[in-house]
Amino acid sequence: MRSLFLVSPHMLLCLGAIIVLVGGLWIRNKMFAVVSSIVTLLGAGVLLATMVGHPAQDAFNGLIVFDSLGLFFAIFSVIVVLFGVLLSMESKEIYADRRPEYFSILLALCTGLMFMGVSNHFLMLYLSIETVSILSFTLAGFRRERTASVEASMKYVVYGAMASALMVFGMSLVYGATGHMDLISLREFFSSTATSDLPNVLWAGVILMFAGIGYKVSAAPMHMWTPDVYEGAPTPVTALFSVAPKAAGFALLMRFFITGFSLPVQEGAAAVAQMGSASAISFYTVGPVAWTKLLMISSVFTMFMGNLAALGQFSVKRILAYSSIAHAGYILMGATTQSFEGLTAIIFYLVVYCFMNFGAFWVTSKVEDCFGGDGISEFRGLGSRKPIHAACMAIFLFSLVGLPPFAGFIGKVYLFSAVLAREMYGFALIAALNSVISLFYYVKIIRAMYLDEAEVAMPEGKTSFDSRVSLAFIVLLALPNLVLGIYWEPVMKVAKNALNFFVGM
Amino acid sequence: MTEHILSWIIFFPLLGFFGLLFVPSKQENLIKWISVAVTLVPFVLALNLLGQFDSGLSEAQFIEQAIWIPSINVEYHLGVDGISILMILLGTMLSFLCMFASWNVKKFVKGYFMMFLLLHVGMLGVFCALDFFLFYVFWELMLLPMYFLVGIWGGEKKEYAAIKFFLYTLFGSVLMLVGMLALYFYSRDPSGNHLATFNLISLASQDWSGYTVHIFGTDLPFDKTVWWLLFFGFAVKVPIFPFHTWLPWAHVQAPTAVSVILAGVLLKMGVYGFLRVNYQLFPQATQAFSYILVVLGIINIIYGAFCAMAQTDLKKLVAYSSVSHMGYCILGMAVFTPEGMQGAVLQMFNHGLSSAMMFMLVGVLYDRLHHRYIEHNGELGFGGIAQRAPVITAVWTLAVFASLGLPTLNGFVSEALVFLGAFPVYRTETIIAALGIVLTAAYLLWMVQRVFLGPWTTKEKDMTTGQLVPAEGLAPMRANEWAVLAPLALLCVWIGVYPSPFITLMKTSLNFLVETLN
């Protein structure tokens, strides 16, 4: 019973998904699906909020654990999916007659995302990733009359199948070598067994499992699907993909590597004095696999791949897709540090990233709805045509570059400082230079908006820009980018609290 | 207002920025006058600050200190000392004057002035900040308005110039960011506990030698490594050869007022950054690398002068003269003598005056003739202006003489001080650098000869055909142009004749700095 109580938000979402789907057969009102999705998500959010502050509990015999980290990512997923619902409601790409199916999938996706954050067992890990993946394939191909959308879905399926196959294979290797599927017992096994007694096949197992997780966060070399899927999928779906599964993927990655493959070092009083704060918890790797090296290599490749490939793109959605790859690289930096600072930096960055990336996609969605394309040429002259939209887009983009006084800068500062606290200077320098490269392609969009003359004629009559709801939300997403760049203490507190009852500690 | 005078100086333009949001963009005159008023206040406050400034103290005054972000000890910490007081005066004055220089901006007037006010915030913030984090935020804050000012209101190649400026500066600043964070993690109090601070004053009191950092498999001394990381950040801004290539582009493509601010204030930030951070935090590393700075300074002087001589575009000539003149600042501050240091800081101020005048005057000619070619297709683009526009010629000549260091004008004082300070330390090098004065005179006087003397051959650009056609004459200087040039010209003469009040302001702080360095 206790376990069932813990997953009540998940069950509520499933119930909501069924109601939206079945109810949609009879109720023809256009707003039915939207309103019931929003109500369901808010309900799940309230249920989750009541669980805040409790110590960690495990459910279903350790398949899942409800700790502060899982709870944080569950709430985060609900909020992002809520944004997704609102953006989809406003978008022309989600046709009114397909709304019930669409919103029902969104709710189910949210359930999968919430499970990703709390899985503590290989089985749950795999199931939650698969739930999210299969729903994502459907969402990516939702505009089935458009070739690009179908192509995106197909590519996603092929890559997804490959990644899960690799992951399952990796799990079997790890299980074969250790006899454990549960992350906590895995760690205990590692700490009680001499490393020399463990077979080298664990390396292969961990690398293959990282392939599965890396696919979700689009880390190199598992990033190839990202640009095509992001470009082909309907823009609201892309916006969602770029934030929600990525964040859940990072939750899973943190849990997998920190809970499964590291032990905390409780440093002595002298060390605490050295580091200057009580949160000076860091971890050391248990088991034979030097996974931090693995993550570091992947992080560097991811940054370079994303940033360099984005330079030559002309579709804004593709640019943002590559930028989201690059950002996965930055966020991975936090995980390589194996420290409390690094993990808080990841969480902080994901919060900020949600605002800036979702905002950028929201504006892109409006542009695409209005002009029928998402190329740089459609953005030309936006600065004088739609000053508020353009100004917000500029804020999102500068925040993505990581320039003060925007929130993206603070996120980068925390990531860099976590890396520097571990004395990885070369790594920090590479990341810093990467943000210079990224400036070039972000500014390409800004330049099109402000420096170039309009190219594509504005359609007659009412356009997607006239929607007041959208404008309000774009401004609402832009505000945190400014405010958190100047005063970010509360969000930092939230990030630290998310790690308070982290089982890995 | 006097209690938080520095905050008012920095953030008053921000009030104007938000105020302008609510002014309809058709009310162009109202926007311009609001901007004048909004920049006048910081200027008056800066004059007031100058009156209250105690030049007998070496440490920072008018301190404002508050905790900004407790979890990582970021402080809102402002203060002024002898190094920054003149820069604050220069920054507020030039911003105020630039409002008049921007009077004939036609496109998106509201956006232009809003960006200018934002730039003002960043500029003054850099000169007042005593917390490295705050310093960095202000430092980067300038990039955005500058990008738009060059990119939207600039000349034909504005996009290229704007992005080049942006990329170069960001390259320098991210290295500075890494250096800044490294300092944060290595900061210790005297008993060896981790201090975790960005406070520049406490960072400066620490001895940084003895730590090592591990980069790409090699152990490097901490202080020298961070010194170089910071060096790149500031060197791009100065700009020091070979990081100067953004400058001719940005200066030439920017609208007149923005060129004035760029040359007048933004370049000074690089030198100021060296003095504030590299010099005060790492005196030993600075000592170790001083010869490199001397050499780079001389390269800047000589190379910049030769480049200027080769230019056929009047604005590019002035831009390269900036590279050359900033070389004197680098040379002066690299020799660690009180005279050299005073010369360097005074040269910053003087160059701010004379280059601002020159850019303004290029704008005066450009507004009337719509071109800047000294020579074009083998023919003179100007020529004989002295005959038909003697007043413009007179002001031009004053600016040229101020720039080339004619005695009784400001440039002479600071250059003489630099050489006076440098000669006892580096004899041969100083003699080579002194050749720069001859070269400066050569390219400037040659320019005067081709542009202002000789028979009237001045052409104007026909706006419809784009061809150069013979011009009739030049309209006299307008009131807004006088408003910019007259105060600058007066200051040039004042410093040339009676520089000691200005030197007194900075003397104590600089002497203290020289003592720590030696």
Side-chain angles (χ1 to χ4, degrees), chain A residues 274-423:
Chain A
Q274 274 243 316
M275 294 299 296
S277 66
S279 58
I281 302 169
S282 59
F283 303 85
Y284 65 94
T285 311
V286 289
V289 186
W291 58 267
T292 46
K293 292 246 159 50
L294 184 73
L295 290 193
M296 199 191 283
I297 294 166
S298 173
S299 162
V300 170
F301 272 104
T302 312
M303 283 178 216
F304 274 115
M305 279 309 297
N307 283 325
L308 293 178
L311 292 178
Q313 303 300 329
F314 289 97
S315 146
V316 172
K317 269 161 88 179
R318 275 186 95 84
I319 290 181
L320 290 176
Y322 280 113
S323 111
S324 89
I325 297 176
H327 281 269
Y330 301 136
I331 301 172
L332 273 176
M333 283 172 35
T336 60
T337 60
Q338 275 186 303
S339 64
F340 185 83
E341 281 89 1
L343 299 182
T344 31
I346 292 181
I347 295 176
F348 186 87
Y349 201 86
L350 282 170
V351 173
V352 170
Y353 175 76
C354 165
F355 291 121
M356 55 198 188
N357 218 39
F358 217 93
F361 271 112
W362 200 311
V363 178
T364 312
S365 166
K366 294 295 113 187
V367 169
E368 195 171 5
D369 281 351
C370 181
F371 301 113
D374 68 319
I376 293 275
S377 50
E378 273 83 12
F379 277 82
R380 297 228 160 94
L382 199 67
S384 46
R385 280 172 163 178
K386 296 288 162 202
I388 302 180
H389 286 81
C392 290
M393 185 70 175
I395 290 175
F396 298 135
L397 293 173
F398 281 129
S399 195
L400 282 165
V401 182
L403 285 179
F406 302 110
F409 167 68
I410 309 301
K412 279 220 174 94
V413 164
Y414 274 111
L415 282 173
F416 287 2
S417 57
V419 168
L420 286 174
R422 282 278 174 153
E423 311 249 315

Side-chain angles (χ1 to χ4, degrees), chain A residues 44-89:
Chain A
V46 170
L47 281 179
L48 287 169
T50 58
M51 299 181 187
V52 173
H54 290 295
Q57 320 179 46
D58 64 330
F60 302 113
N61 303 317
L63 277 184
I64 55 176
V65 280
F66 264 87
D67 57 0
S68 51
L69 186 78
L71 201 59
F72 171 81
F73 276 101
I75 295 174
F76 187 80
S77 305
V78 168
I79 292 172
V80 177
V81 173
L82 196 62
F83 284 163
V85 168
L86 293 166
L87 175 54
S88 309
M89 173 184 88

